[in-house]
């Protein structure tokens, strides 16, 4: 190798070292990771097996998988999740006293997830009891969850007034803001009551496209 070629290659190596030592490297790593697909956790809260929000979750998951993402679905209503009792045994970032599905199944998944999706019907202007129990257990991994993640929100409710959905939407947004997560979209379906009535509506396509376009 002659002197000119050596200098050229050495300069390129030096530039590469500088880039790897800067935030630019983190940006590249993040972009590369997203190209390979994200690990997504979908939290569903409907106790109805054929419920409308469960169907919205199906459509979102279909789109996300087609886009190359890996999806783990946790059905709160069919899982054993004890409600938080505020004992503070975990210290907000440690082991919980309960040996249940949150601890053994969901906790390791949600910690490693790149994105969290909240999917619930509106029960008395808020999340279903089943999903709220899961959210309350975030307390045990509070410190660990305060890193950048994406999040999304899927909900259905029987009423038709947008005002009736405001409290639940605000709850979701407050969680995202507190955690420092990036909200990438929501599907809010009013006037959906009886089981299966979501099918054939525009909200199914919206949920699918939300997953597909991540």
């Amino acid at each position: 190798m002659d002197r000119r070629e050596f200098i050229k290659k050495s300069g390129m190596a030096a530039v590469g070292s500088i880039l790897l030592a800067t935030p630019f490297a983190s940006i590249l790593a993040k972009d590369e990771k997203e190209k390979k697909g994200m690990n997504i956790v979908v939290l569903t809260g409907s106790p109805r097996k054929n419920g409308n929000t469960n169907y919205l979750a199906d459509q979102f998951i279909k789109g996300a998988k087609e886009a190359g993402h890996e999806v783990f679905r946790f059905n709160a209503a069919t899982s054993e999740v004890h409600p938080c009792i505020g004992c503070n045994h975990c210290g907000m970032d440690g082991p919980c006293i309960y040996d249940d599905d949150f601890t053994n199944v969901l906790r390791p998944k949600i910690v490693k997830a790149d994105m969290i999706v909240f999917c619930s019907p509106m029960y008395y202007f808020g999340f279903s009891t089943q999903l709220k129990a899961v959210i309350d257990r975030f307390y045990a991994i509070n410190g660990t969850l305060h890193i950048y993640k994406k999040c999304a929100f899927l909900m259905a409710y029987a009423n038709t007034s947008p005002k009736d959905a405001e409290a639940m939407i605000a709850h979701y947004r407050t969680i995202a803001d507190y955690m420092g997560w990036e909200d990438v979209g929501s599907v809010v379906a009013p006037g959906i009551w009886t089981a299966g009535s979501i099918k054939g509506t525009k909200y199914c396509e919206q949920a699918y496209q939300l997953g597909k376009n991540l």
Side-chain angles (χ1 to χ4, degrees):
M1 181 187 301
D2 62 28
R3 184 169 178 271
R4 183 176 298 176
E5 186 68 18
F6 174 79
I7 292 173
K8 180 180 178 182
K9 290 190 175 182
S10 296
M12 291 176 65
V15 171
S17 297
I18 293 170
L19 288 176
L20 289 174
T22 65
F24 183 67
S26 298
I27 296 172
L28 289 177
K30 178 185 172 184
D31 290 344
E32 186 63 25
K33 186 175 184 180
E34 291 187 355
K35 287 177 183 178
K36 294 179 180 178
M38 295 185 290
N39 289 316
I40 301 173
V41 169
V42 176
L43 304 172
T44 58
S46 177
R48 294 197 295 188
K49 183 179 180 180
N50 298 313
N52 295 300
T53 53
N54 280 333
Y55 190 73
L56 283 180
D58 290 341
Q59 300 310 301
F60 172 86
I61 291 170
K62 179 182 178 183
K65 286 185 174 180
E66 288 180 5
H69 304 293
E70 183 176 335
V71 182
F72 173 78
R73 181 174 184 163
F74 186 83
N75 296 307
T78 58
S79 302
E80 182 187 8
V81 179
H82 289 275
C84 177
I85 60 172
C87 67
N88 210 38
H89 178 270
C90 63
M92 295 186 75
D93 202 20
C96 179
I97 61 169
Y98 290 120
D99 186 30
D100 59 4
D101 289 337
F102 182 91
T103 297
N104 299 315
V105 180
L106 181 58
R107 179 169 173 154
K109 294 286 187 179
I110 205 168
V111 166
K112 295 180 180 179
D114 303 303
M115 179 175 179
I116 311 296
V117 181
F118 299 86
C119 184
S120 174
M122 184 177 74
Y123 282 1
Y124 273 85
F125 311 100
F127 288 101
S128 70
T129 297
Q130 292 82 0
L131 184 53
K132 184 59 168 62
V134 169
I135 294 171
D136 287 347
R137 292 284 296 280
F138 285 6
Y139 185 86
I141 45 178
N142 191 73
T144 306
L145 289 182
H146 272 81
I147 61 172
Y148 174 80
K149 295 180 187 289
K150 293 184 177 181
C151 59
F153 179 58
L154 311 173
M155 71 168 285
Y157 64 113
N159 298 4
T160 56
S161 171
K163 183 178 179 180
D164 293 338
E166 288 178 0
M168 190 167 166
I169 295 170
H171 190 172
Y172 160 72
R173 289 177 176 169
T174 301
I175 293 171
D177 182 64
Y178 172 69
M179 290 295 184
W181 297 349
E182 179 189 355
D183 173 27
V184 297
S186 299
V187 175
V188 178
I192 305 297
W193 191 357
T194 58
S197 58
I198 193 77
K199 295 181 179 179
T201 68
K202 63 181 180 181
Y203 307 111
C204 301
E205 179 65 18
Q206 288 176 6
Y208 169 77
Q209 291 296 335
L210 180 57
K212 182 75 172 179
N213 294 321
L214 290 173

